[in-house]
Amino acid sequence: MSKKLRAIIYVALLSTFIASATSCVNEDEPIEEHRGTITGTVTDGEGQPISDVEVTLAGIGEEEVSVTTGGDGTYSFENVTLKTRAVKFSKAGWLAVSVTVNPEKFDANRVATADMTMIFASAKIIGVITDAQSNNAGLEGVNVSVGVAGTVTSGSDGAFVLENLIVDTYTVTFTKANYKTVTRTVGKSDFVNGVATLEIGMGSNEILRGLTTADLLDADKWYYNEYRGGRNADVYPRWDWACNYMSALDFQGAWQEQNEGTTLQIRNNEEDRSNPADLNVFDSYVYGSKLITEENKILSLRLSTHNADEANPAYFGVQVVDLTAAQPTAVKVGENRTYGSGSYADFEFDLGEYVGKEVVIAIGIYRQSTGDYWKQLVLRAIRFADTKVENWDWLPGTEVIEGWKLTQETVRSTMPHTKNSFTGISPINGNRDNYVDAYRAWREVDHVAAEWFFVPLKKDPEVFPSEGYLIKTRNTPEVDTKVPEAYLYSKFSINAGSNQLTLSTRNFGDNFTYFKLTAIADDGTITHLDPKSTTADEASAAEDGCWKFKHGDGGAGNPEGYASFVYDLAQFNGQNVTLALGVYNGEAESGENKLVIHQIDLN
């Protein structure tokens, strides 16, 4: 046999042997998984260990297991597969938290460290859930969730308690099979002595798109008679972007803040484009609760449109919900309106039928046909008076003080505010081209610009400085201690417990800032108020009821540094009084003198 033939036979036999050996391997035998350890230490905010914390390990396809921290705050999970896992930490009286451990977090020794700092949490959210389908009896079995902070289930009486929380802002979700999910926001100001209370109704019929009667009971108050939108200054400073806060209202559906105004749009998501026409239900809308009087019963809308013309106009209208009715429904005010032009026009709606009632008012755009998803209704102004308001005019009536543009009719028909603490610190910053998120964030913190009404008679404000919301003077030779450069106002029901106002403020530079707090009664009586005390570095009375001061301390990180001015309002006990806070040009050509509004409290 030749050497070449023997080599061929040898290779063939070797291949047969390898194939035979390979076939002996059990293909169903599992491949061994790598395993390791997850360990860590749980401490408080001062670095001290927390014992008896329940630590739970969870993962997709994995059984949950739990251990408890020892006296030194440590815990450990042994023999853990190296997969993505969630480690949850919970203990009564502490805020529940969690952390994710990925395979990459395991070191060369297959050990992953997941330390955690927990926050002591004694606050709670409590409440009762009722069933509109069963004569408002308590609704059992509702899942009440605040995300990672926890989920509870309502009892047979509809009661629930969410514990181990800190005083913060929460989105609370209420879910139950065959009931429309309800969502509520609880803000820091809703906690009283560490407890926030909610009353929730489920099972109500939808009144406005996506909102039930229970939702509308919590509608934002439209305290004032004018709301403005847009970011171009057609009549400076009144229509400057920094003065127009319509985007802080409650909008539903598709909307956007644009130069020309706040636009209500046909919903344009891919899944919405095939929606059928509906000229009875708004596609998108803005809404609020307002008391209607003889002096504000005419609603005027100043608006234009985008992507519409006379032949193919936008359809819009106003609907009112009277929540005192036996079966509340959305009722149209007159017929649907149409408009198709980029030029502004004014439309009026008569709300006289509702005089003496506080009702929910919705302004919206309708989908006129399937596929009609490009039209936009541009809201420039929403105004209430006893007659139609047109163009850029101020609200009509008799001025309470000459030059203030605030009328006695407006004062009388302004609604008393239901809140008593307001901040000037914006949680999000912005600028002329990007401020909507910031203005929307005002809703959660009771920002003074969203809760009071700003009147820029001669000068615009500074909206986002870290020291607070600034109203200021012009650098002008004109001296005037009777008519402010700008002011804010709001009405309050003054009683024991809410008859002291404290302004937390500061200014800048070496010049005095002149300001004044004025009380306006519903009968038109004017009272310029002197503070009963102040902590300002320099402060004294000036002309026409003004006060002037200098105080350069205070900031978002230094709240104790601000000056306080404290006012006694007890003389108005039992009355509704409109309070106006204004800045005045008390000295000629002295630059932009600024009044910083850090905080306003009534207590």
Side-chain angles (χ1 to χ4, degrees):
M1 183 180 295
S2 68
K3 291 182 179 180
K4 185 175 182 180
L5 180 58
R6 284 199 300 269
I8 293 172
I9 294 172
Y10 174 77
V11 171
L13 290 172
L14 181 60
S15 299
T16 302
F17 172 77
I18 293 173
S20 176
T22 303
S23 67
C24 293
V25 176
N26 184 355
E27 294 180 355
D28 295 328
E29 186 175 306
I31 299 174
E32 182 180 359
E33 289 186 300
H34 293 302
R35 292 179 177 270
T37 300
I38 297 177
T39 186
T41 304
V42 183
T43 56
D44 62 19
E46 297 180 351
Q48 297 300 311
I50 307 175
S51 61
D52 299 321
V53 176
E54 183 180 21
V55 187
T56 302
L57 185 67
I60 298 176
E62 303 281 351
E63 183 179 354
E64 284 194 358
V65 291
S66 297
V67 297
T68 303
T69 59
D72 59 355
T74 62
Y75 71 93
S76 184
F77 294 99
E78 308 288 344
N79 200 32
V80 175
T81 56
L82 274 59
K83 297 180 179 179
T84 299
R85 312 294 285 271
V87 186
K88 305 175 184 178
F89 303 84
S90 60
K91 181 179 180 177
W94 297 79
L95 184 66
V97 288
S98 68
V99 65
T100 300
V101 176
N102 297 315
E104 295 79 12
K105 291 188 177 181
F106 289 86
D107 62 19
N109 297 318
R110 297 179 185 173
V111 175
T113 301
D115 295 329
M116 179 56 65
T117 299
M118 295 185 71
I119 300 173
F120 185 71
S122 60
K124 61 180 69 174
I125 300 174
I126 66 174
V128 175
I129 308 165
T130 56
D131 186 358
Q133 300 176 12
S134 299
N135 200 28
N136 292 323
L139 184 58
E140 183 178 11
V142 178
N143 289 325
V144 186
S145 174
V146 283
V148 71
T151 299
V152 298
T153 303
S154 61
S156 59
D157 58 354
F160 68 91
V161 180
L162 288 160
E163 298 182 288
N164 306 330
L165 304 175
I166 61 173
V167 175
D168 202 351
T169 299
Y170 295 95
T171 298
V172 188
T173 304
F174 301 82
T175 57
K176 182 178 173 68
N178 301 320
Y179 286 80
K180 181 181 179 294
T181 296
V182 174
T183 301
R184 290 287 183 273
T185 298
V186 174
K188 293 180 180 179
S189 61
D190 295 319
F191 287 89
V192 179
N193 296 324
V195 178
T197 303
L198 292 176
E199 294 183 3
I200 301 298
M202 297 185 69
S204 302
N205 293 326
E206 187 174 85
I207 304 298
L208 295 169
R209 184 183 297 279
L211 299 179
T212 66
T213 300
D215 297 320
L216 296 177
L217 288 171
D218 293 326
D220 290 350
K221 302 284 188 182
W222 283 4
Y223 298 103
Y224 310 105
N225 286 344
E226 183 175 23
Y227 296 93
R228 306 187 294 266
R231 58 188 180 194
N232 54 1
D234 297 290
V235 183
Y236 178 84
R238 187 170 177 233
W239 289 93
D240 183 74
W241 71 272
C243 309
N244 296 345
Y245 306 136
M246 188 188 292
S247 60
L249 299 181
D250 199 343
F251 285 82
Q252 300 288 310
W255 68 279
Q256 188 178 47
E257 188 75 0
Q258 298 183 7
N259 285 338
E260 295 81 4
T262 312
T263 64
L264 288 168
Q265 305 169 348
I266 303 298
R267 289 170 298 152
N268 195 12
N269 293 331
E270 193 66 37
E271 62 271 19
D272 294 326
R273 292 187 174 187
S274 60
N275 285 344
D278 195 331
L279 293 178
N280 294 309
V281 178
F282 290 138
D283 210 64
S284 300
Y285 58 96
V286 60
Y287 75 103
S289 182
K290 186 163 188 64
L291 175 63
I292 305 303
T293 73
E294 286 288 347
E295 294 171 317
N296 67 5
K297 66 182 180 181
I298 302 300
L299 166 58
S300 299
L301 298 181
R302 184 159 183 78
L303 57 84
S304 63
T305 61
H306 290 162
N307 301 312
D309 55 34
E310 186 175 348
N312 193 24
Y315 286 70
F316 68 96
V318 173
Q319 296 185 8
V320 173
V321 181
D322 180 0
L323 294 175
T324 65
Q327 295 292 332
T329 59
V331 178
K332 291 183 179 181
V333 179
E335 300 297 323
N336 291 349
R337 307 291 183 91
T338 61
Y339 192 60
S341 172
S343 299
Y344 292 114
D346 298 288
F347 296 82
E348 65 177 305
F349 296 81
D350 189 345
L351 304 175
E353 178 182 349
Y354 302 100
V355 167
K357 290 185 175 183
E358 183 176 340
V359 294
V360 174
I361 298 172
I363 301 163
I365 186 171
Y366 297 103
R367 184 186 294 267
Q368 188 271 335
S369 61
T370 299
D372 176 27
Y373 49 77
W374 292 116
K375 293 188 179 69
Q376 300 178 12
L377 186 73
V378 184
L379 296 177
R380 188 61 163 158
I382 302 170
R383 296 178 283 195
F384 298 85
D386 57 4
T387 187
K388 183 180 180 181
V389 185
E390 298 183 291
N391 302 313
W392 313 110
D393 297 348
W394 296 93
L395 296 181
T398 303
E399 285 188 283
V400 293
I401 300 175
E402 185 178 358
W404 280 44
K405 306 302 182 182
L406 176 63
T407 68
Q408 294 180 13
E409 293 83 354
T410 295
V411 166
R412 286 192 292 266
S413 57
T414 294
M415 296 169 59
H417 216 297
T418 59
K419 301 175 182 178
N420 58 12
S421 184
F422 311 92
T423 183
I425 302 294
S426 185
I428 300 176
N429 285 335
N431 55 47
R432 183 185 181 279
D433 298 317
N434 180 24
Y435 59 79
V436 174
D437 288 346
Y439 285 11
R440 298 297 285 176
W442 291 354
R443 296 169 53 81
E444 309 303 327
V445 297
D446 297 333
H447 195 278
V448 67
E451 299 291 347
W452 291 46
F453 188 83
F454 178 62
V455 185
L457 291 174
K458 303 174 183 179
K459 186 63 178 173
D460 59 332
E462 293 182 25
V463 183
F464 300 121
S466 61
E467 295 85 1
Y469 183 80
L470 310 186
I471 58 176
K472 58 188 180 180
T473 66
R474 300 164 295 161
N475 183 21
T476 174
E478 176 188 350
V479 174
D480 194 336
T481 51
K482 293 183 178 180
V483 177
E485 299 280 283
Y487 67 98
L488 297 108
Y489 73 85
S490 187
K491 181 185 281 189
F492 297 93
S493 298
I494 307 301
N495 290 291
S498 63
N499 59 10
Q500 177 175 281
L501 183 144
T502 302
L503 168 65
S504 175
T505 185
R506 61 164 291 174
N507 66 354
F508 302 92
D510 296 327
N511 293 327
F512 283 104
T513 293
Y514 288 70
F515 76 102
K516 188 188 308 183
L517 182 67
T518 301
I520 308 168
D522 281 351
D523 65 3
T525 301
I526 304 298
T527 306
H528 300 305
L529 300 171
D530 290 326
K532 70 174 185 179
S533 66
T534 180
T535 61
D537 292 339
E538 297 182 55
S540 60
E543 294 78 10
D544 300 313
C546 285
W547 273 68
K548 62 181 183 179
F549 81 102
K550 295 180 184 180
H551 188 91
D553 199 9
N558 179 27
E560 296 82 9
Y562 291 96
S564 66
F565 287 81
V566 180
Y567 296 83
D568 184 359
L569 306 177
Q571 62 180 300
F572 305 112
N573 279 358
Q575 300 181 47
N576 291 333
V577 176
T578 297
L579 298 176
L581 178 63
V583 63
Y584 295 76
N585 201 62
E587 297 179 13
E589 298 179 331
S590 56
E592 289 187 343
N593 295 311
K594 302 174 181 181
L595 178 70
V596 177
I597 301 175
H598 166 245
Q599 187 81 19
I600 298 176
D601 294 298
L602 275 80
N603 47 45

